[in-house]
Amino acid sequence: NTITSGLLVIFCVIIIIMKIIITRKKIKNLILKINDNSEILISAPYYVSEAYINNFIKSKEDWIKKQLEVIKNKNNNNNLSYNNGEEFIFLGKKYNIISDISLISKCFIQNNNLYILSPDNLFNTKHKIVQDFIIKNLDFIFSDICSKLSQKVGLFPKSIKIRDMKSRWGSCNIKTKNITLNYRLYLKPIEAIEYVILHEICHLLYPHHQKSFWDFVAKFMPDYKIRKKILNKS
């Protein structure tokens, strides 16, 4: 049994209109999740009242606001038309888009601008040019950071792959020693990217998140907690 309701929830002076989906299950405790569409997903026991659920949501207001902000930032650049005057985020910085017709397809950053040179003004054409720019730069940035950190730590992954992942910033396959990094890291500052890469490199030795793993991370990046916050907030 699934109940969908649009609720007006007031958090301090911030008014947020949320879509809340309540699913009744044979479970003992309430479970709260937020999906990529900013929908609040509640799994609740059959016997729990809606009033109780509303109070539960209110008690989680700080966590919900943080997660909604993370999702908002994660989805940045998604609604661009690549027209003049729009803002493009790359490595945590905002750039003004300057689009122009050119015989040569090219995308580059100069000063505070992202220049998109395209043979036509079609969205698909400009989108591909920008995506090629992102992948080319990420490939270089990821490889460079990984090489430096691997030398520092003494652990070397066999390869780095780039994928658009929904729920992870990175992953490490212990058996193949391959590291996969989220394509959407291009939105994040370099210090946050460095943290993600070090995190995955350290998993080559510690395939878990126990204290020994975090101690090892801290040995090579004492400020990893600050960088982790930057990753989730920026």
Side-chain angles (χ1 to χ4, degrees):
N1 183 22
T2 300
I3 304 172
T4 302
S5 59
L7 299 182
L8 182 63
V9 182
I10 301 178
F11 293 155
C12 300
V13 295
I14 302 176
I15 299 178
I16 304 175
I17 299 177
M18 300 186 300
K19 183 177 181 181
I20 299 177
I21 300 175
I22 302 171
T23 304
R24 300 288 182 170
K25 296 181 178 181
K26 290 183 178 180
I27 54 177
K28 293 182 179 180
N29 301 309
L30 286 168
I31 300 174
L32 167 62
K33 294 181 180 179
I34 303 177
N35 64 21
D36 287 342
N37 295 321
S38 298
E39 296 172 330
I40 312 300
L41 308 179
I42 300 289
S43 297
Y46 288 104
Y47 58 84
V48 173
S49 67
E50 189 166 330
Y52 184 91
I53 294 172
N54 288 338
N55 289 331
F56 173 76
I57 294 171
K58 188 175 180 180
S59 72
K60 300 293 183 179
E61 62 180 60
D62 289 339
W63 183 85
I64 291 173
K65 285 190 289 185
K66 289 179 181 178
Q67 294 305 309
L68 290 175
E69 188 64 26
V70 168
I71 294 170
K72 178 183 175 182
N73 289 326
K74 181 181 177 181
N75 293 333
N76 275 335
N77 291 345
N78 277 0
N79 298 318
L80 289 177
S81 299
Y82 303 110
N83 292 326
N84 289 326
E86 291 183 322
E87 285 188 337
F88 180 84
I89 296 177
F90 187 67
L91 300 182
K93 297 180 182 179
K94 293 182 179 180
Y95 297 92
N96 295 317
I97 290 178
I98 296 179
S99 177
D100 201 1
I101 300 297
S102 171
L103 294 176
I104 301 175
S105 298
K106 191 175 183 180
C107 180
F108 61 94
I109 288 175
Q110 190 174 69
N111 299 324
N112 294 318
N113 301 314
L114 177 85
Y115 291 86
I116 305 172
L117 304 182
S118 172
D120 56 56
N121 200 37
L122 297 177
F123 169 82
N124 287 341
T125 305
K126 292 191 285 187
H127 181 70
K128 185 180 185 308
I129 293 171
V130 173
Q131 296 308 301
D132 289 345
F133 164 82
I134 293 172
I135 292 297
K136 180 180 178 181
N137 279 274
L138 280 189
D139 188 49
F140 173 79
I141 291 168
F142 288 170
S143 296
D144 183 60
I145 293 174
C146 187
S147 176
K148 291 176 180 176
L149 289 175
S150 292
Q151 292 287 344
K152 187 176 181 180
V153 177
L155 296 171
F156 301 87
K158 285 187 177 180
S159 69
I160 299 176
K161 299 179 181 179
I162 302 174
R163 282 180 49 203
D164 191 358
M165 299 185 285
K166 290 185 177 180
S167 59
R168 299 180 183 181
W169 290 117
S171 64
C172 177
N173 188 314
I174 306 301
K175 292 182 180 179
T176 63
K177 295 188 176 180
N178 294 325
I179 287 176
T180 302
L181 299 172
N182 196 328
Y183 158 82
R184 296 190 178 277
L185 282 170
Y186 83 87
L187 294 164
K188 303 299 180 179
I190 289 294
E191 55 265 39
I193 296 175
E194 289 174 340
Y195 160 71
V196 173
I197 293 177
L198 177 66
H199 184 115
E200 301 309 330
I201 288 175
C202 290
H203 274 317
L204 292 171
L205 184 62
Y206 296 95
H208 53 69
H209 288 109
Q210 297 174 12
K211 186 177 182 299
S212 55
F213 167 79
W214 292 112
D215 287 345
F216 193 68
V217 172
K219 178 180 178 181
F220 300 99
M221 191 174 284
D223 64 341
Y224 81 87
K225 291 183 180 179
I226 296 175
R227 292 170 183 254
K228 189 176 181 181
K229 287 182 179 180
I230 292 173
L231 174 69
N232 293 326
K233 287 184 179 180
S234 60

